[in-house]
Amino acid sequence: DAGVIQSPRHEVTEMGQEVTLRCKPISGHNSLFWYRQTMMRGLELLIYFNNNVPIDDSGMPEDRFSAKMPNASFSTLKIQPSEPRDSAVYFCASSFGSANSGNTIYFGEGSWLTVV
Amino acid sequence: TQLLEQSPQFLSIQEGENLTVYCNSSSVFSSLQWYRQEPGEGPVLLVTVVTGGEVKKLKRLTFQFGDARKDSSLHITAAQPGDTGLYLCAGSNNAGNMLTFGGGTRLMVKP
């Protein structure tokens, strides 16, 4: 079975440009997460969807960041305009059921973003 | 915000040695998970512990959840180069379906 699929794997863009990261969760999973990982701050949760509805977006750093989940099989994370400090690895993850019940969260391979 | 602190941050050992990684918090978690992440990949779940005092074993890896469910440890016996990676602990609480990750322990096992 396919895991969580993210695209692009790598992106280099200029400051001020719009960046769109895409995610296809595992089929049948009802929870989707976007994380950001940097050496300085580690792995941070940006936003969490349950049944396509954003439940908690308190981790979204600024208004420049937005995320959507138009259906159960697709989500996007958009940064507009991008800044060099947004450079990081962005992970999408999905699960069935709740993490506080010990359910497994499956991560994609990440989108490596560099903003110059 | 619930914080998880992991120690040590970096660990370099020789093949065959034993090691313990710690994950500590002042908050209580309903469950705690350990992940391993290899370069260029996402974290992969190793184990979930949910009961205070619980001990789980996965081959040479032993995971323990503290009695008060505020801390956890990962012990690796006779480490091998294949154990090299970033080990992350993550806790969840009853308030929602979210994980808080620790900063990670970067382990290198030299042959």
Side-chain angles (χ1 to χ4, degrees):
Chain A
D1 288 340
V4 175
I5 299 173
Q6 292 187 244
S7 65
R9 284 298 314 274
H10 299 272
E11 178 154 348
V12 180
T13 190
E14 290 185 346
M15 181 174 61
Q17 295 298 306
E18 177 179 295
V19 173
T20 300
L21 308 178
R22 298 172 177 81
C23 175
K24 177 178 169 56
I26 293 174
S27 177
H29 283 187
N30 60 353
S31 294
L32 184 140
F33 311 83
W34 281 101
Y35 284 89
R36 177 172 67 177
Q37 188 175 39
T38 61
M39 286 293 292
M40 291 296 294
R41 300 175 67 88
L43 202 58
E44 304 172 280
L45 178 66
L46 300 178
I47 187 169
Y48 150 53
F49 292 87
N50 184 251
N51 294 322
N52 312 338
V53 176
I55 303 300
D56 191 317
D57 64 354
S58 59
M60 296 285 264
E62 300 172 30
D63 290 345
R64 298 183 296 107
F65 285 69
S66 63
K68 295 182 179 180
M69 191 166 186
N71 56 64
S73 60
F74 184 66
S75 177
T76 59
L77 177 67
K78 186 175 294 186
I79 309 172
Q80 167 63 20
S82 58
E83 297 182 2
R85 60 192 168 122
D86 301 330
S87 298
V89 184
Y90 290 82
F91 286 102
C92 178
S94 71
S95 72
F96 180 76
S98 60
N100 59 14
S101 298
N103 291 301
T104 301
I105 294 181
Y106 295 86
F107 284 79
E109 293 184 315
S111 291
W112 295 65
L113 173 66
T114 302
V115 183
V116 298
Chain B
T1 302
Q2 298 177 303
L3 297 176
L4 280 166
E5 293 188 0
Q6 288 188 240
S7 61
Q9 287 184 294
F10 302 96
L11 189 57
S12 180
I13 61 172
Q14 292 295 133
E15 182 176 0
E17 292 184 14
N18 301 332
L19 68 114
T20 302
V21 175
Y22 299 94
C23 175
N24 296 297
S25 175
S26 58
S27 302
V28 175
F29 292 97
S30 59
S31 69
L32 195 137
Q33 299 181 328
W34 284 92
Y35 291 78
R36 182 169 73 202
Q37 183 179 14
E38 298 188 19
E41 299 181 7
V44 175
L45 180 66
L46 296 174
V47 77
T48 301
V49 286
V50 295
T51 305
E54 182 176 3
V55 176
K56 281 192 174 179
K57 292 192 175 184
L58 185 65
K59 296 183 180 179
R60 294 176 293 100
L61 278 61
T62 302
F63 305 85
Q64 184 163 7
F65 202 11
D67 291 341
R69 290 185 289 136
K70 293 182 178 181
D71 54 85
S72 181
S73 64
L74 158 60
H75 182 78
I76 301 178
T77 302
Q80 299 177 0
D83 297 327
T84 293
L86 177 66
Y87 288 82
L88 296 158
C89 66
S92 67
N93 57 40
N94 291 321
N97 186 21
M98 297 182 293
L99 287 177
T100 299
F101 279 84
T105 293
R106 201 167 294 275
L107 172 66
M108 177 176 290
V109 182
K110 301 174 184 176

